[in-house]
Amino acid sequence: MRGKQAPKRKIKPDIKYNSTLVAKFINYIMKQGKKSIAQKVVYGAFDIIEQQIKAKKLPEEFDTSLSVFDRAIKNVAPQLEVRGKRIGGANYQVPFPVRGDRKYALAFRWTIEAAKNKKGKTMAKKLAEELIAAVNDEGDAMKKRNDVHRMAEANRAFAHFARY
């Protein structure tokens, strides 16, 4: 039997951009409660993105690093995922739509994981590169999202097992 669901906590917006999405992203990067280090990494990545914008290496629709971040996370966030469901003794991968906060959780996780797997640079630089790649529909995080979507599309025949 499951216990009670944990209450949702209100997350305060971050100091620099006054955005709850950035604050949540900082919390995902944070290890062992070291928030100031996580903030340095994220804000460092945002500074690198700002330099790219000033050097005109990104499309003109992006005027701030926050707009690049928002677009990157929206691009990486999945619409569908598959979940295992046992029906009549067989396990099926059933496609389900991804709900609200889980989209962002998966997008954050995939983006951070893709940045961590790169070698030879600072985390801020790797994170900035991954966010810029995600804006251009490239990079490892976008590859992960496309794999999840492809898996859901391949198992569309079992969608009738899904109960929303």
Side-chain angles (χ1 to χ4, degrees):
M1 201 162 121
R2 295 175 187 215
K4 284 193 295 189
Q5 191 168 2
K8 291 275 186 210
R9 292 189 184 91
K10 289 279 186 201
I11 293 181
K12 294 177 186 165
D14 74 302
I15 313 156
K16 198 170 182 181
Y17 295 97
N18 200 28
S19 165
T20 53
L21 201 62
V22 174
K24 209 174 261 196
F25 191 65
I26 288 169
N27 289 344
Y28 266 85
I29 287 188
M30 180 171 51
K31 287 184 182 175
Q32 298 175 350
K34 301 195 175 192
K35 193 165 200 158
S36 60
I37 292 172
Q39 284 173 333
K40 282 179 193 168
V41 168
V42 172
Y43 294 148
F46 280 18
D47 290 342
I48 292 167
I49 292 170
E50 285 286 347
Q51 291 168 2
Q52 296 278 341
I53 290 169
K54 286 184 180 140
K56 306 268 190 234
K57 293 183 180 176
L58 285 169
E60 291 187 15
E61 64 189 84
F62 302 113
D63 50 351
T64 64
S65 56
L66 191 60
S67 63
V68 171
F69 172 75
D70 285 339
R71 175 65 66 83
I73 295 302
K74 278 194 180 101
N75 283 355
V76 174
Q79 303 301 315
L80 291 170
E81 67 179 338
V82 290
R83 294 184 192 165
K85 193 161 186 174
R86 188 172 176 86
I87 294 160
N91 288 318
Y92 296 108
Q93 294 288 318
V94 181
F96 278 89
V98 182
R99 295 220 176 118
D101 285 345
R102 183 160 167 78
K103 280 183 187 181
Y104 292 118
L106 290 171
F108 291 160
R109 199 179 308 155
W110 294 343
T111 305
I112 293 165
E113 195 63 36
K116 277 182 187 173
N117 288 338
K118 293 182 179 183
K119 297 282 182 245
K121 296 176 186 162
T122 63
M123 184 59 185
K125 199 167 223 164
K126 294 189 287 188
L127 192 58
E129 285 177 2
E130 192 58 42
L131 288 170
I132 290 168
V135 163
N136 298 323
D137 290 333
E138 301 167 353
D140 292 342
M142 282 302 294
K143 184 177 180 300
K144 176 74 173 165
R145 174 192 176 262
N146 291 336
D147 289 347
V148 167
H149 274 234
R150 206 173 301 120
M151 184 80 130
E153 192 64 32
N155 289 298
R156 204 171 65 190
F158 305 121
H160 66 280
F161 291 128
R163 283 203 195 131
Y164 306 111

